[in-house]
Each structure stands twice: as structure tokens, then as C-alpha cells.
Amino acid sequence: MLNAKRFAPLPTVALGDCRQQRPTSRRCECGGCGKTFLATAIIDAMPAFDDRAGGYTILRHLHCDFCNHVEVWTEGVDLDGRPSGVPLGPRGRLTGTLVEKFLARYPEAAGVEMC
Ligand SMILES: [Zn+2]
């Protein structure tokens, strides 16, 4: 259950200067502008078995408020279902009305979790 009080609107959050080259279990960087997000900003699907990868993978989504797009990529998962932090292939991008539909379904993706 989403606790809306745990999230702050992105305009109230200063852009961090910590950069990461690829997603990890703790941080993720937008592939367009380089803005860094906490891993809690990533919306994950349920892990599913992927025949091509030969194991379980997870579909991940990150909304970047600066670029106004949603990045989509797949990662392998460990035995506990945690993402590996290593994308399997290039990231895709959702734009336009697909971003609006994504944010309508996952409003928590438009904010950051307060620590
Ligand atoms: Zn961006």
C-alpha cells in the first residue's frame, strides 16, 4: 500500500551531484540527462522467468521529471528476487501519452521517497 506522505514532489528536491554510470541496487541515473535517483524511484514489475536470459528477470521503470520520459529496462534478479543492477540490453523510453498513463497508474513515480 502506497503511503503518499513518504513522497515529496520532485520540484522540492534539489538535483543531486552524485552520478552513477548504470543502475545499481541503491541508485539509478537517467540515461538522457544524467540525473541521479534513489532506487526507490524505480517501479518494478514482478520477476518472471525469461527463456532467452535463462533465468528470472525483472522489468524496471524510471520516470525522469527533467526529460519527462519513462526509461524501461530489464535486469536479472538474484535468488531473493532483487535486481542485479546490470541492465540486460539497451533501455527503452516511453514518451508523450504513455508517460501520462504510467504516472496515472504509478503516482509514486512522480516523487522521491523521504529518508
Ligand atoms: Zn532525464
Side-chain angles (χ1 to χ4, degrees):
M1 180 90 169
L2 172 66
N3 182 352
K5 292 182 178 179
R6 294 184 62 197
F7 294 90
L10 285 175
T12 65
V13 180
L15 177 63
D17 58 359
C18 179
R19 298 295 170 105
Q20 191 76 24
Q21 293 302 312
R22 60 182 173 81
T24 72
S25 61
R26 295 174 34 191
R27 296 188 190 280
C28 180
E29 183 177 280
C30 171
C33 67
K35 183 174 179 178
T36 301
F37 297 86
L38 291 174
T40 52
I42 301 172
I43 304 297
D44 290 326
M46 291 297 293
F49 191 81
D50 184 334
D51 288 332
R52 290 182 303 161
Y56 280 87
T57 61
I58 190 168
L59 185 62
R60 311 193 83 190
H61 299 80
L62 174 70
H63 171 253
C64 177
D65 61 314
F66 186 79
C67 298
N68 194 29
H69 69 216
V70 176
E71 294 199 11
V72 183
W73 71 97
T74 302
E75 292 182 15
V77 296
D78 65 15
L79 295 176
D80 293 325
R82 289 182 297 233
S84 66
V86 179
L88 301 174
R91 292 185 187 193
R93 287 189 183 179
L94 305 179
T95 58
T97 57
L98 294 176
V99 174
E100 295 171 18
K101 289 179 181 176
F102 176 82
L103 292 177
R105 183 169 181 184
Y106 303 104
E108 67 272 29
V112 296
E113 188 172 5
M114 303 299 289
C115 298

